[in-house]
Amino acid sequence: MIQWVGCQKWDTDFPDLPLPARANRLEFPKHMLTAALPYGVLPMLVCYAALFGKIAASPVFPLDRRFVPLGLLLGLLLIPVHEVLHAVCFPKGATVYVGLAPEKLAAFAVCFSPVSRRRFCVMSLLPVVLGAAPLALFWIFPAGWGAAAALCWPAAMIGLVSPCPDYMSVLRVLRRVPAGALLQASNSGWYWYFEEGEEV
């Protein structure tokens, strides 16, 4: 169940679920958003490569500059959708708190139900479609569709760069969490553990 909680402080606590005593804390950088910025470099370069590639292949400049601000606005408006895409990946019956944190200029999706390592990775990376889809459209639009291209390219940039904390999280989980383990969030961070009876 997705529960919209509106605007909240970034460190707001929500009703969480108990963790087993055998749970191991998964450490993340204290300033997560800042630490994740380098993970946005490659997606940004991909977007610029697509733009310069289209400029080289087109007889006219592919973006109608008048519509670029609308493309930026579209990308920003899709950020809450980014969180909803996270939310739909949690198990059926799980409660996911979705809202906005204005002081961080960010949105969030918080759920305390345990998930497999694979589901965690899918949940983290699913919002990438909000950047990949408009970038694909930008590339296939004819050269004369400058207005449509100007809507898609900035939205693609935001859609591919904004998941940089998710990229970092997935790499950290793949490196530090054993296959077969469960991951569970709490108000104090993420933890991993094996189901009772399984060997670590």
Side-chain angles (χ1 to χ4, degrees), residues 52-128:
F52 291 133
K54 186 138 189 177
I55 290 172
S58 301
V60 296
F61 188 74
L63 301 179
D64 186 332
R65 294 178 178 86
R66 297 171 298 173
F67 291 88
V68 169
L70 288 178
L72 291 170
L73 179 61
L74 175 62
L76 293 173
L77 290 175
L78 288 174
I79 288 178
V81 180
H82 172 129
E83 301 304 327
V84 171
L85 290 177
H86 283 319
V88 299
C89 293
F90 283 97
K92 185 177 180 180
T95 299
V96 188
Y97 304 97
V98 176
L100 302 172
E103 85 273 17
K104 295 284 187 180
L105 299 176
F108 61 85
V110 177
C111 181
F112 302 113
S113 295
V115 294
S116 67
R117 193 175 76 154
R118 178 180 295 178
R119 186 185 285 263
F120 176 90
C121 294
V122 172
M123 176 272 296
S124 297
L125 296 179
L126 184 59
V128 172

Side-chain angles (χ1 to χ4, degrees), residues 8-24:
Q8 302 285 339
K9 290 186 176 181
W10 184 253
D11 57 356
T12 297
D13 287 347
F14 296 97
D16 60 7
L17 299 174
L19 284 160
R22 63 187 182 280
N24 304 278

